[in-house]
Amino acid sequence: MEQLSTSSRLTRLDNLHLTGEHRPVSDPLADLRRAATLRIHNGVGLRPVPEELTETVLRECWQMRRQRAFWLDLTAPTPAALQAVATLFGFHPLTVEDALSPEHRPKIDEHEDYLFMMFQSVAGISDETVLPTVGVGHCATNRLAVYLGVGFLVTVHDRGFAPVEEVAEIVDARDTTMDQHLDLVLHAIVDRMIDQVFPVLSGVEDRIQEIEAHIFTEQDQDVLPTVLKTKRELMTLRRLMGLQREMLLRLSRREDLPCIEAKTAIYFRDVYDHAVRLEETCVMLIELATNVAEAHLAVASRRTNEVMKFLTIFSTIWMPLTFIVGVYGMNFDYMPELKVWWFYPFLWVVMIGIVGGMLMFFRRKKWL
């Protein structure tokens, strides 16, 4: 039964990356070598391993992890490659499935000798939409899966994940002390991941203010769908930030987490403060988007009322004129006033007087 369950999970993982009737069989270690970067602590700091990555090297790293800490970074690994790492290091198969899921919710799971964490970060801002989206109401995010234990750190992410790349460059440049402790490396990655959301929200705020200005200048432009879409995306981002805020709070409190040192907890508390600011900013922008939507509806309603008022006044003025013209347009043989030469100009004076009197009345009532 256990073999069947594991086989079915691996089948689901393969389907995440490969489709079609005939899927090519790949070498997990070859895929792993293409995706992995291994850094081992040499007593001074984390340094990249120059030799070829093999199963023997990984097994030795795992066995010696308490004497020589290591950081294994996996960039867009295949399911087979990640499963090979999980098998060597004893990671639970369900964590592999979660790590390969592109839209998995942020979470932190505590296992026997390691922590498994899922983070989500906004990828950036698009020129076409307020927030980049995948489908309706979903922020385009980059996932980061983390295995953290005493003496080892394994990160799994897509290509072009800037926070990991920046931290890796700093570590390889050997101009930092963060590589003395793996939890500091994790802090540096998460800190950059959270901070890169601030420019995105700043762009969203500018876009909402631009839409607000268009409401009063370009009445023919229907901006309501854009505003509502922005609001949905902000609500999604707020939910992600709320989940990650709880994760960071737990890391900052070191709730029975032996892989987080006491002196590192204060750094996670700082990132927690940033996450709180992001969530508060999302709430503020959601309220701003709601106000803009309400302002748009109010302006549209006022414009409709102005049109209806104009049509009503126009119709009211024409009603007595239509009555007069209708009366004297009837085909009766005996209408004595029609024989009087001055009656035609007199009728024009009466109709003009009616129009002028009604306009004065409307203006006095401030309807015009």
Side-chain angles (χ1 to χ4, degrees):
M1 180 65 68
E2 178 64 26
Q3 292 179 352
L4 179 60
S5 177
T6 303
S7 175
S8 62
R9 283 196 295 266
L10 291 178
T11 301
R12 291 201 304 271
L13 292 177
D14 288 337
N15 290 335
L16 290 174
H17 283 250
L18 300 174
T19 58
E21 296 182 357
H22 302 285
R23 293 193 295 269
V25 178
S26 60
D27 181 10
L29 286 179
D31 295 338
L32 183 59
R33 280 191 288 269
R34 286 191 292 268
T37 302
L38 177 63
R39 296 174 176 85
I40 299 178
H41 201 286
N42 62 358
V44 179
L46 291 170
R47 300 295 177 260
V49 176
E51 61 264 22
E52 185 180 33
L53 193 63
T54 62
E55 181 178 350
T56 303
V57 172
L58 290 176
R59 195 180 301 278
E60 182 181 353
C61 287
W62 181 254
Q63 293 172 352
M64 299 293 294
R65 64 186 183 278
R66 296 187 181 274
Q67 290 77 31
R68 295 187 307 171
F70 70 91
W71 173 21
L72 180 63
D73 181 38
L74 301 176
T75 303
T78 62
L82 186 55
Q83 183 61 49
V85 173
T87 302
L88 286 172
F89 295 169
F91 297 152
H92 197 282
L94 288 179
T95 64
V96 177
E97 185 175 347
D98 293 342
L100 292 172
S101 177
E103 297 183 1
H104 198 286
R105 64 190 296 272
K107 69 171 185 176
I108 177 170
D109 291 338
E110 186 174 357
H111 294 264
E112 184 176 354
D113 56 353
Y114 66 92
L115 291 177
F116 175 72
M117 291 167 278
M118 286 292 300
F119 294 94
Q120 293 282 358
S121 176
V122 174
I125 191 166
S126 171
D127 294 333
E128 298 179 357
T129 58
V130 177
L131 282 178
T133 56
V134 180
V136 178
H138 294 279
C139 299
T141 56
N142 280 335
R143 76 181 189 279
L144 173 66
V146 177
Y147 297 86
L148 177 65
V150 177
F152 70 92
L153 171 66
V154 179
T155 53
V156 184
H157 56 87
D158 294 325
R159 290 185 176 87
F161 192 66
V164 173
E165 294 177 352
E166 293 174 3
V167 172
E169 290 178 0
I170 295 174
V171 170
D172 293 342
R174 306 183 184 184
D175 57 354
T176 180
T177 59
M178 75 171 66
D179 58 355
Q180 301 297 322
H181 304 279
L182 294 177
D183 49 359
L184 283 177
V185 175
L186 175 61
H187 159 264
I189 295 173
V190 176
D191 184 39
R192 286 163 173 77
M193 183 189 69
I194 295 295
D195 286 348
Q196 75 176 8
V197 183
F198 283 105
V200 175
L201 292 184
S202 178
V204 173
E205 183 176 6
D206 293 341
R207 177 59 176 157
I208 293 177
Q209 291 176 350
E210 180 183 351
I211 293 174
E212 186 177 18
H214 286 173
I215 289 177
F216 301 99
T217 58
E218 301 180 14
Q219 295 296 330
D220 294 334
Q221 183 179 4
D222 187 9
V223 298
L224 188 59
T226 302
V227 174
L228 295 180
K229 182 179 180 181
T230 303
K231 183 178 177 180
R232 288 195 302 270
E233 293 169 342
L234 287 170
M235 292 176 66
T236 302
L237 182 57
R238 178 193 176 188
R239 179 179 60 84
L240 293 178
M241 289 299 106
L243 293 172
Q244 292 178 143
R245 174 178 56 82
E246 296 299 325
M247 294 173 57
L248 292 168
L249 179 61
R250 185 177 177 186
L251 292 174
S252 66
R253 290 178 175 176
R254 299 182 63 244
E255 298 176 350
D256 298 327
L257 304 178
C259 53
I260 304 295
E261 298 185 10
K263 60 183 179 181
T264 310
I266 190 172
Y267 293 101
F268 282 106
R269 196 171 303 127
D270 178 69
V271 183
Y272 166 78
D273 293 338
H274 292 183
V276 171
R277 285 176 51 200
L278 283 176
E279 189 176 9
E280 292 174 348
T281 304
C282 287
V283 173
M284 182 269 294
L285 291 178
I286 290 173
E287 294 178 354
L288 181 59
T290 301
N291 294 337
V292 169
E294 292 176 353
H296 172 74
L297 294 176
V299 171
S301 177
R302 180 178 179 181
R303 186 187 181 197
T304 301
N305 291 337
E306 291 290 338
V307 173
M308 293 302 298
K309 182 175 72 172
F310 172 79
L311 294 177
T312 301
I313 292 175
F314 185 80
S315 301
T316 303
I317 292 175
W318 274 96
M319 284 177 62
L321 305 183
T322 304
F323 173 76
I324 294 174
V325 172
V327 169
Y328 289 100
M330 294 185 295
N331 296 323
F332 286 103
D333 292 334
Y334 185 72
M335 297 183 74
E337 60 268 28
L338 296 180
K339 305 298 182 180
V340 181
W341 67 268
W342 50 263
F343 187 75
Y344 177 72
F346 172 76
L347 195 59
W348 271 107
V349 171
V350 171
M351 290 191 294
I352 293 174
I354 291 174
V355 172
M358 295 184 71
L359 290 176
M360 291 178 60
F361 176 77
F362 292 150
R363 186 174 295 276
R364 181 174 298 177
K365 290 290 186 178
K366 297 182 179 180
W367 294 347
L368 288 177

